[in-house]
Amino acid sequence: MKGFVFHGPGQAAWQDVPDPAVKEPTDAIVKVGAVTICGTDLHILKGDVPEVRPGTVLGHEAVGEIVEVGSDVRTVRPGDRVLISCITSCGRCRFCRDGSYGQCRGGGGWILGHRIDGTQAEYVRVPCADLSVHALPAALRSEDAVLLADIFPTAYEVGVLNGHVRPGDTVAIVGAGPIGLAAIVTARLFAPERIIAVDLVPARLEAARRLGADAVADVREAPGQLVSDLTDELGADVAIEAVGVPESFELCTRVVRPGGHVANVGVHGRPATLHLEELWIRNVTITTGLVDTYSTPTLLRMAAAGRLPTGLLVTHTFPLQQMEEAYEVFSRAGETGALKVVLGGEQHAELAVPAA
Ligand SMILES: [Zn+2]
Ligand SMILES: [Zn+2]
C-alpha cells in the first residue's frame, strides 16, 4: 500500500510501505476513506517532535472502513464505517478509568502518527479498537466527520470546557486557525454574550466572522484595547490560546478579567513568561491540556443532527494519492487560505468508503 512517511526533518514522501496487519487481538485494520493533515504534522516535519522516528507513517485523524479485527474486538466488525480518534485508549489504566484517555498509560494516548504508523495511508492499524474508533451514523459525511477526530474535541474540551465558558460570557479566542475556529463554533453552544477572535491573517479573521465571532482584531492593532473597550475595561471572562507561541499566551493573560479563565490549547515549542507579578492578585485560573476525546460521542451526535457545522472548516479536498500536494497547500496556509484540507472523502468517490 501507499503511505506518507516521515524521513527526518524536512523530508517525507508518499511511497510504498508494507500493509499493516493485526498484531494484538484488540487491533483493527481500517481502510482509510478520508484523512486530514494537522498543524501537529507540520511540527513533526519541522523536527519539533523528536520522538517521531524516521520511517513512521504520519497522521492521526481519519474516517474509514473496518476491514479486519483481532479476536478480542467486540464493538466493531468488518464493513463498519468508523471515525478513528486521534487518541487511543486502553480503557483499563488509571487515567482511562478517569476519562483522561489522552494520558493513557496502557499503550494508548496520542500514538497514531507519533509512536506508531498513522492514518495518512491507504490502511492503518488501530490498537485498542473498541475504545479508539467510533461507529459513524450513515447520515454523516466522511469529510464532516473527520473534523471530529481531533480538531473539534480538542477545541471543545481543552478550550471551551477547560475555560468554563458560560452563558453571557465574553470569550476572547487568540488564533483563528482550525482550532480557534472550532473553539468559536463550540463556544457558541453556551450562548456567550460575545466572541472576540484575534489573528494576524485577514482571511482567518473573515472565517472567524463567518463562523460566529462577533468582533475580530488584528493582533498588531491593540487587540487588548478592543477587549477592554468591549467589556467596560473588565477583560474577557475566558481567553482561549489557540496558537502556541509565547506572545499569544501572554496576550491571553493580559486580556482575561480578574477571576477569569485562560485555557491554553496551543502546542508550544518555546517557554512563555508567566507574569505572576501581575497575575497573583487577580484570581486567574490557567489550564493546559492534551485532548482526551471523552466528548467525541456527544459531538458526533450533534454533527449527525446538523447542530455542528464542522465541514465549514474544510477549504481544500484532494484524492488520497495527492498527499504531497495537499501538504504543500496546507503548509502555505497564509497564501493558499487553507484551513483544513481533506484527502479522500465522498467528493473523491473512487477512494471513498461506501455509506453504511
Ligand atoms: Zn491533529
Ligand atoms: Zn489507558
Side-chain angles (χ1 to χ4, degrees):
M1 70 156 188
K2 299 278 191 191
F4 189 71
V5 180
F6 173 67
H7 288 293
Q11 294 171 20
W14 178 251
Q15 64 178 71
D16 286 316
V17 288
D19 286 356
V22 167
K23 284 189 191 167
E24 301 287 338
T26 48
D27 287 352
I29 305 298
V30 180
K31 179 177 192 285
V32 173
V35 60
T36 68
I37 305 171
C38 183
T40 308
D41 297 320
L42 300 183
H43 278 291
I44 295 171
L45 275 178
K46 273 197 252 163
D48 291 348
V49 192
E51 64 268 24
V52 178
R53 290 193 305 267
T56 304
V57 174
L58 298 184
H60 52 263
E61 308 170 54
V63 165
E65 179 189 345
I66 302 267
V67 291
E68 191 184 349
V69 292
S71 57
D72 276 356
V73 174
R74 308 287 161 83
T75 58
V76 287
R77 291 180 305 185
D80 287 351
R81 194 171 71 116
V82 295
L83 173 70
I84 301 172
S85 177
C86 66
I87 297 296
T88 302
S89 162
C90 81
R92 295 176 179 173
C93 72
R94 168 182 169 174
F95 291 102
C96 284
R97 297 292 292 262
D98 203 25
S100 300
Y101 311 117
Q103 304 299 326
C104 176
R105 291 297 182 271
W110 173 36
I111 58 171
L112 289 171
H114 182 209
R115 298 183 183 280
I116 65 171
D117 286 337
T119 57
Q120 288 165 5
E122 291 173 316
Y123 294 87
V124 56
R125 179 178 74 92
V126 181
C128 307
D130 278 327
L131 286 147
S132 308
V133 303
H134 302 265
L136 282 175
L140 199 52
R141 296 186 320 155
S142 297
E143 46 268 67
D144 293 330
V146 74
L147 278 290
L148 297 169
D150 176 354
I151 296 301
F152 270 81
T154 296
Y156 181 57
E157 295 175 15
V158 188
V160 174
L161 296 181
N162 280 1
H164 286 250
V165 174
R166 289 181 300 186
D169 276 356
T170 290
V171 183
I173 297 178
V174 179
I179 290 283
L181 295 173
I184 292 172
V185 172
T186 50
R188 288 184 69 193
L189 300 171
F190 292 86
E193 181 185 354
R194 69 172 73 75
I195 296 173
I196 304 165
V198 180
D199 202 290
L200 40 70
V201 179
R204 293 193 163 199
L205 292 175
E206 275 168 41
R209 275 213 188 272
R210 269 203 314 281
L211 287 161
D214 303 285
V216 300
D218 187 306
V219 73
R220 290 157 297 205
E221 290 168 3
Q225 191 60 50
L226 176 70
V227 174
S228 176
D229 291 348
L230 288 173
T231 56
D232 292 329
E233 298 179 6
L234 199 61
D237 300 282
V238 182
I240 295 176
E241 198 287 334
V243 183
V245 297
E247 296 76 10
S248 54
F249 174 79
E250 290 162 28
L251 175 61
C252 285
T253 62
R254 285 201 303 277
V255 300
V256 72
R257 70 161 166 82
H261 286 77
V262 173
N264 183 82
V265 193
V267 177
H268 289 263
R270 287 181 285 142
T273 304
L274 183 65
H275 286 285
L276 270 181
E277 76 283 9
E278 287 158 18
L279 288 166
W280 72 271
I281 201 170
R282 300 181 64 220
N283 298 23
V284 168
T285 302
I286 297 173
T287 55
T288 67
L290 171 69
V291 66
D292 288 315
T293 67
Y294 62 81
S295 70
T296 305
T298 304
L299 296 172
L300 273 172
R301 286 199 309 278
M302 295 183 66
R307 300 258 188 252
L308 211 57
T310 57
L312 293 180
L313 269 62
V314 178
T315 52
H316 296 75
T317 63
F318 297 89
L320 193 59
Q321 60 269 49
Q322 286 181 16
M323 187 67 73
E324 292 176 359
E325 291 92 325
Y327 260 92
E328 175 66 18
V329 166
F330 184 65
S331 63
R332 294 187 298 112
E335 298 144 62
T336 60
L339 293 171
K340 283 300 269 186
V341 303
V342 172
L343 297 105
E346 274 86 31
Q347 301 103 317
H348 299 284
E350 75 279 12
L351 287 155
V353 177

